[in-house]
Amino acid sequence: MTAGRRTWEMPISEGQLTSLTRELDEAHRESIPQMNARALDLAEELRDTPSAGRRRFLLGAGGAAMALGLAACSSDKTASTASNGSASATAAATGNSMYTGDL
């Protein structure tokens, strides 16, 4: 849309849009059977080894919990970020900021 006009013009013709939509629909219909076949293969594989799937999930969940625990126990750098943020907020409140307008 240009600044001087109030109407929107489609950058392609309606025929081109119809053609592109048809191509996209055909590609979608071609990929759906492949996706379903792969999903069935995966479900069958998981059904054959139920304990391995559960074991893998529990190991992943345990690893994530350990990572979160280590992150919680590590040094906290957010305090320095918060103090820098409050300093800039104080400068903005007193009017000593290089930015103008409603912040």
Side-chain angles (χ1 to χ4, degrees):
M1 188 166 148
T2 60
R5 296 162 67 186
R6 295 281 180 178
T7 61
W8 180 79
E9 293 180 18
M10 191 166 28
I12 60 174
S13 70
E14 193 170 330
Q16 290 171 322
L17 180 61
T18 303
S19 173
L20 290 171
T21 304
R22 189 177 308 117
E23 289 174 15
L24 180 63
D25 188 49
E26 289 171 5
H28 177 72
R29 290 179 191 274
E30 289 173 4
S31 67
I32 290 294
Q34 294 172 0
M35 184 187 71
N36 283 338
R38 289 182 182 165
L40 289 174
D41 290 344
L42 178 63
E44 185 176 325
E45 180 183 324
L46 291 175
R47 204 174 305 122
D48 291 342
T49 57
S51 62
R54 274 183 255 143
R55 194 175 309 128
R56 210 174 302 136
F57 170 76
L58 290 174
L59 284 173
M66 243 170 86
L68 288 174
L70 287 174
C73 294
S74 67
S75 65
D76 187 31
K77 294 184 180 183
T78 58
S80 63
T81 306
S83 66
N84 290 342
S86 63
S88 63
T90 305
T94 58
N96 295 336
S97 177
M98 64 182 201
Y99 300 110
T100 61
D102 185 18
L103 298 176

